[in-house]
Amino acid sequence: MPEQSSSARGGAADGAGGGRLAVRKTYKLFIGGAFPRSESGRVYPVLGNGGTLLGNAAKASRKDARDAVTIARSAVGKWSGATAYNRGQVLYRVAEMLEGRAEQFTAEVASAEDVGDQEASSRVAAAIDRWVWYAGWPDKVAQIAGAANSVAGPYFNFSIPEPTGVVAVIAPPESSLLGLVSVLAPVIATGNAAVVVASEARPLPAVTLAEVLATSDVPAGVVNVLTGSTAELAPVLAGHMDVNAIDITGVGPAGRAELERLAAASVKRVFAADDDWAAPPVPRRMLAFLETKTVWHPVGM
Amino acid sequence: MKGSGKGGRTELTDSAWQYAPAPQEREIVTIAPSYGLFVNGEFAPAADERTFATINPASEEPLAEVALAGEADVDRAVRAARTAFDKVWGPMPGAQRAKYIYRIARIIAERAREFAVLESLDNGKPIKESRDVDVPLASAHFFYYAGWADKLEYAGFGLGARPRPIGVAGQVIPWNFPLLMAAWKLAPALAAGNTCVLKPAETTPLTALLLAEVCQQAGLPEGVVNIVTGAGDTGAAVVAHPGVDKVAFTGSTEVGKQILRSAAGTGKKLTMELGGKAANVVFEDAPLEAAVEGIVNGIFFNQGHVCCAGSRLLVQESVADILLDRLRRRLGTLRLGDPLDKNTDIGAINSREQLDKIRDLSAAGEAEGAQRWSPPCQLPERGYWFPPTVFTGVSPAHQIAREEIFGPVLSVLTFRTPEEAVAKANNTPYGLSAGVWTEKGSRILWLTQRLRAGVVWANTYNRFDPASPFGGYRESGFGREGGRHGLEAYLDA
């Protein structure tokens, strides 16, 4: 492997040859626009190919998950209240930032997913392009999901899609960046706030994505990223009474039934779709986290 | 308030005029002494021959004995639906499905008065509502969705691909709009190419069984619509049956959550239309006369047995006194009594069980310190009745401000600023509907954006139309019924 592939951990310069000693990164959670450690103080080792240590990731606790939900809830109003044009611009800005960090992502994806640089580079490119695709949706989704309804009476009647609110997202375990972007971007494009549980085994690109989000114009709390044990965190989010919806795609079919049962407590919208992340996206991941509001008003003189 | 029921007296108040009884002829509909389950195009008794009685809640007299479907019967119905889906209804061209559904719409319209009388007898709702609202809307619903059956590729979910039906739909409906809810469930399911097993509510099975007869008259292929009558156990068997691909439920949030738990891990597609505790928000610049009518319609329509009922009146403090004066005066003119009297505004409570629930919650309202008021009102001696009731001095913490009463009971709260109105309106786990009354257009739109509810009625209330999507946010459920959106629930898009 070329030396880039290990640069997530500081690269070849880590050697004892008298070269410069690399400055390593501490991987933390991303909650409310800040990068805290887990309140529990726990970390877990993230291993690459052959068991090389890529880094220690924060191991979020149940309390971290609940805190993230509270923060996400407080971010919904501003983000969903922003104009769709503004949200589109903010998301496009994220794509610009992703592009600027493409090399770093390529290195991290190569280590995380154990692929060569060329394949990693094409997965990163697809992730950036997917983000651009979703950046174009905020001011168009109402035109495909809304309706003017011809009712049999003197009423003006229309239906508009609205974000459901706080959406928990269990990111796919295998595809550390493209899969993550494919499940996160559709949630926030329409004005929801997200609490994401990153891939447990491949969490580091998610933390770097969080750094991108923190340095673009996405308001604090709109995206919150937890790293840690999916089995520990997913039930907390599925059963949380102030989470409106949950995407459990990343859990895998065997673990979904229990989460669906927990989700019933607050009549959560539960979504799972095992998409091929390399395939072109369709709008359904956005539509799954929208509510339809229908408004009536009399027509008269 | 004037009693017009059999047991009530008509009293003079401030007018020399009084209403003479104007009874709708009951004989227009023939009620059989007993009814079987409608499975595979035929009526048959339950396998274990169990039955239950359905009664007229206005008189407590039994109307008919109805078969009680057990698991074996539900299984037979699901198998019939599966066969019909695989062999007949699924492969049938949409244009032909459309014609069958159009026929159903037309026959309901032809036999509208029979349906209306039967609905009022079995449910207790005033004939003017069953005649002018429930039955015409049911027919319209079939008519609307019939036209979709051969246009599904334009419904917008498949993005060019040919949308496919899901399979067998298990549908469980409530007792408040028995025929209309059957129409809301069956029409989109059939248009999309699914077959159905419908479970009507225990206390109101008769119009669904008359609808089964309509299916026969329409020549609908056997097994496409199956109707299994019974109580909660029958509904649970429908929902839990492994041969059911799609579950559609309208009813309480509590039962909805049970269904969600039982369906976990099955991969069944779900739509849930659950409870509500809607805010009806009246601003000081509202057209007050119209608002009073809207409040009355919002909470006393169908005895308040409406999931989207405007059960919390939020009135701006500056007009609270004048509005409540006018509301009380208006309530004094409502006529409670015989559901088959064409002048009746308030009919019977659907069941003893529901009456007990309304009484308990109203008692809790008094116990918590809210002030209770009803117009002078003589209730008929037999049957289940509850007078229109208004609670003032209600705090958001009171049980009557939080829990769905599902009866003719209005809780009045006040607010000062629009922000406070929004906060109070949204202070509920539900999110089905809301009302806004103000002459200011920009304020309507401002509120509309902020109310977390699936239907917002501005300067009107309780309007329904087959073209208009209906359904809730939050614990009021998910999925929509009506309009293009209502098709999505029945398509594998």
Side-chain angles (χ1 to χ4, degrees):
Chain A
M1 294 282 263
E3 62 179 49
Q4 250 193 341
S5 65
S6 59
S7 66
R9 192 63 186 158
D14 243 3
R20 181 176 173 274
L21 195 64
V23 179
R24 290 177 175 175
K25 181 158 100 184
T26 306
Y27 293 93
K28 299 198 278 189
L29 308 176
F30 181 53
I31 299 175
F35 290 92
R37 293 187 166 86
S38 169
E39 59 81 32
S40 67
R42 300 178 306 174
V43 296
Y44 69 106
V46 180
L47 305 178
N49 185 28
T52 39
L53 181 69
L54 299 178
N56 289 313
K59 189 173 184 189
S61 65
R62 293 176 175 84
K63 181 169 190 312
D64 290 320
R66 291 193 296 269
D67 289 347
V69 171
T70 305
I71 296 275
R73 173 61 61 197
S74 69
V76 169
K78 184 179 173 192
W79 183 240
S80 64
T83 66
Y85 176 49
N86 178 246
R87 261 187 274 121
Q89 287 189 307
V90 168
L91 293 182
Y92 188 79
R93 175 77 176 155
V94 172
E96 291 176 347
M97 299 287 107
L98 286 169
E99 185 88 9
R101 293 231 208 176
E103 277 188 32
Q104 182 189 354
F105 277 113
T106 300
E108 288 186 352
V109 167
S111 321
E113 300 178 18
D114 193 21
V115 293
D117 276 7
Q118 205 176 351
E119 175 59 24
S121 173
S122 86
R123 290 179 188 182
V124 170
I128 298 169
D129 291 352
R130 184 138 313 163
W131 201 282
V132 172
W133 191 76
Y134 280 111
W137 268 114
D139 52 6
K140 299 168 191 70
V141 70
Q143 290 172 326
I144 68 154
N149 308 309
S150 310
V151 296
Y155 296 93
F156 179 51
N157 179 304
F158 61 94
S159 296
I160 44 168
E162 290 191 340
T164 190
V166 173
V167 180
V169 177
I170 315 299
E174 308 294 335
S175 184
S176 61
L177 183 67
L178 177 57
L180 172 66
V181 165
S182 300
V183 295
L184 172 61
V187 166
I188 62 170
T190 56
N192 294 297
V195 176
V196 183
V197 178
S199 163
E200 182 170 347
R202 300 172 180 79
L204 304 187
V207 179
T208 305
L209 176 67
E211 291 164 9
V212 167
L213 296 169
T215 52
S216 6
D217 300 318
V218 179
V222 170
V223 178
N224 305 278
V225 179
L226 304 173
T227 53
S229 160
T230 302
E232 183 180 6
L233 299 173
V236 177
L237 296 169
H240 197 295
M241 295 303 281
D242 204 27
V243 170
N244 299 91
I246 185 166
D247 182 341
I248 55 175
T249 300
V251 175
R256 288 177 189 167
E258 181 53 24
L259 296 178
E260 287 175 16
R261 255 189 295 281
L262 289 167
S266 67
V267 195
K268 265 182 207 67
R269 291 81 176 108
V270 181
F271 181 82
D274 300 297
D275 292 339
D276 169 9
W277 307 120
V282 294
R284 71 170 172 170
R285 298 198 95 93
M286 277 189 307
L287 303 180
F289 304 109
L290 292 174
E291 307 286 341
T292 299
K293 176 180 281 175
T294 298
V295 182
W296 293 69
H297 196 278
V299 174
M301 298 267 281
Chain B
M1 157 152 296
K2 302 158 185 84
S4 68
K6 287 171 193 158
R9 288 177 298 113
T10 305
E11 291 173 11
L12 294 181
T13 49
D14 52 357
S15 158
W17 297 96
Q18 57 176 296
Y19 287 90
Q24 161 67 45
E25 181 198 358
R26 177 179 168 153
E27 287 65 35
I28 192 167
V29 66
T30 308
I31 303 178
S34 69
Y35 288 87
L37 310 170
F38 184 65
V39 176
N40 210 25
E42 291 174 351
F43 288 95
D48 56 11
E49 298 189 344
R50 287 206 296 165
T51 64
F52 63 98
T54 184
I55 64 159
N56 177 350
S59 66
E60 300 176 57
E61 289 161 4
L63 293 168
E65 281 291 315
V66 179
L68 178 62
E71 280 187 25
D73 303 299
V74 169
D75 183 60
R76 200 163 68 81
V78 173
R79 286 171 195 279
R82 173 64 56 193
T83 303
F85 176 73
D86 290 340
K87 301 240 159 75
V88 185
W89 198 249
M92 186 183 289
Q96 198 164 336
R97 285 203 311 274
K99 286 184 184 170
Y100 282 113
I101 304 168
Y102 277 126
R103 282 186 186 176
I104 293 171
R106 292 304 228 194
I107 298 172
I108 293 172
E110 279 167 9
R111 305 182 64 177
R113 195 58 64 90
E114 281 176 72
F115 272 109
V117 172
L118 190 58
E119 198 75 297
S120 283
L121 284 170
D122 205 15
N123 169 279
K125 65 174 65 197
I127 185 71
K128 75 175 180 190
E129 289 180 11
S130 52
R131 181 194 63 200
D132 298 346
V133 181
D134 295 59
V135 178
L137 273 177
S139 173
H141 219 83
F142 280 104
F143 195 89
Y144 174 83
Y145 277 109
W148 269 119
D150 56 358
K151 302 171 188 67
L152 298 175
E153 58 270 44
Y154 304 108
F157 308 111
L159 298 165
R162 186 167 164 263
R164 287 186 317 245
I166 296 169
V168 175
Q171 305 172 312
V172 178
I173 58 171
W175 45 261
N176 57 344
F177 296 93
L179 175 70
L180 184 58
M181 290 300 103
W184 278 29
K185 292 285 178 285
L186 295 174
L190 297 179
N194 304 277
T195 56
C196 301
V197 176
L198 178 81
K199 207 290 281 183
E202 179 187 9
T203 58
T204 56
L206 295 184
T207 46
L209 294 166
L210 183 55
L211 183 61
E213 201 183 305
V214 168
C215 292
Q216 287 180 324
Q217 286 192 338
L220 191 71
E222 58 193 33
V224 172
V225 169
N226 304 276
I227 296 176
V228 288
T229 42
D233 288 347
T234 308
V238 170
V239 167
H241 196 290
V244 166
D245 305 300
K246 155 83 193 178
V247 171
F249 173 73
T250 297
S252 72
T253 292
E254 185 190 347
V255 175
K257 289 178 180 179
Q258 289 169 14
I259 292 174
L260 287 172
R261 288 188 189 102
S262 88
T266 63
K268 287 176 184 170
K269 195 162 169 171
L270 303 162
T271 40
M272 295 277 140
E273 207 273 83
L274 308 177
K277 191 73 190 176
N280 203 356
V281 185
V282 181
F283 284 89
E284 60 187 4
D285 69 342
L288 289 187
E289 290 302 328
V292 166
E293 291 306 307
I295 294 162
V296 170
N297 182 38
I299 186 61
F300 302 119
F301 173 61
N302 201 31
Q303 295 74 247
H305 300 329
V306 185
C307 47
C308 53
S311 53
R312 288 183 299 151
L313 172 62
L314 294 182
V315 56
Q316 198 156 18
E317 213 173 75
S318 48
V319 291
D321 289 343
I322 182 170
L323 183 81
L324 289 173
D325 277 350
R326 292 189 192 188
L327 179 64
R328 290 193 187 100
R329 215 179 315 147
R330 176 68 179 92
L331 295 186
T333 69
L334 292 179
R335 301 175 63 80
L336 178 147
D338 181 9
L340 286 190
D341 190 312
K342 293 168 190 167
N343 293 320
T344 293
D345 298 302
I346 311 268
I349 300 302
N350 179 250
S351 66
R352 163 72 63 191
E353 185 190 5
Q354 187 59 27
L355 181 60
D356 289 345
K357 187 183 162 198
I358 297 167
R359 284 174 173 164
D360 288 351
L361 280 164
S362 298
E366 278 186 290
E368 287 187 305
Q371 289 83 54
R372 177 176 184 162
W373 180 87
S374 290
C377 183
Q378 189 167 6
L379 302 180
E381 285 160 17
R382 299 208 55 192
Y384 312 133
W385 306 94
F386 198 86
T389 300
V390 177
F391 277 100
T392 50
V394 178
S395 102
H398 286 164
Q399 209 178 348
I400 53 170
R402 290 183 289 113
E403 291 183 24
E404 185 174 40
I405 299 172
F406 223 65
V409 181
L410 178 68
S411 299
V412 182
L413 298 92
T414 59
F415 67 91
R416 290 183 180 173
T417 64
E419 289 81 4
E420 187 188 352
V422 169
K424 283 185 168 167
N426 289 339
N427 183 18
T428 165
Y430 297 113
L432 187 51
S433 59
V436 184
W437 297 84
T438 167
E439 289 284 34
K440 194 172 172 187
S442 56
R443 179 180 284 159
I444 289 173
L445 295 174
W446 184 89
L447 245 87
T448 295
Q449 286 182 338
R450 283 161 183 78
L451 292 169
R452 302 292 289 161
V455 183
V456 178
W457 285 292
N459 292 329
T460 184
Y461 207 94
N462 269 346
R463 299 290 154 195
F464 309 95
D465 193 279
S468 178
F470 181 94
Y473 284 33
R474 307 167 80 191
E475 292 193 24
S476 289
F478 50 78
R480 291 294 175 267
E481 297 184 287
R484 183 177 69 85
H485 294 76
L487 276 177
E488 188 184 8
Y490 291 99
L491 287 172
D492 192 4

